[in-house]
Structures are given as structure tokens and as C-alpha cells.
Amino acid sequence: MSSDAGQKALKSAEVDYQRVDKAVGQLSDEELAKLADRSRQAENDFAAGLISAKTLAYIILATVVIVVIIVLVSRI
């Protein structure tokens, strides 16, 4: 999320990076490992030309939404 594409995706969704960073910090080790694996796969696909920059931005945005939902649900 700290990459240029990640920052652009966060800005386009009007999501505060600090809030997302805090939410990620509240994830369990297992959830964080899964998120990291998905992120690496998306980055590798992008580098290989399998996905466009726009699609990568959507993936990053979806990841942010998932993180926020996980944190909100875990607080209930």
C-alpha cells in the first residue's frame, strides 16, 4: 500500500493511509501472511504484464476494503 500504485488507489478511494496502516497492524499473523501472499502474487502478475495498472489499483483497493472489514468485525 506504500507503493505509488497503492497510494494512488488509496487517494482515489479517499482512504487515509494512516488508518489502513493502523488496521493492518491489528491483523493476526495468519491474516497478515495471507494478505502478504496475495499482495506478492498481484505484484508478480503486474510485473509479468498479466494485469494492468488499473486492475492492480482495483486489487489494492479491494485489499484495503477487506482489511477494514476484518478490523471492524474483529472489534464486535
Side-chain angles (χ1 to χ4, degrees), residues 40 61-62:
R40 277 191 290 278
L61 184 57

Side-chain angles (χ1 to χ4, degrees), residues 39-55:
S39 176
R40 277 191 290 278
Q41 184 61 47
E43 189 173 6
N44 289 339
D45 289 349
F46 177 70
L50 299 175
I51 58 175
S52 68
K54 185 176 181 179
T55 303

Side-chain angles (χ1 to χ4, degrees), residues 11-41:
K11 283 183 183 180
S12 70
E14 298 179 7
V15 175
D16 181 30
Y17 174 79
Q18 301 294 357
R19 187 173 180 190
V20 173
D21 190 46
K22 183 179 176 182
V24 169
Q26 295 177 6
L27 295 176
S28 71
D29 289 342
E30 183 180 333
E31 292 167 329
L32 196 54
K34 287 180 184 178
L35 183 61
D37 285 341
R38 290 180 188 159
S39 176
R40 277 191 290 278
Q41 184 61 47

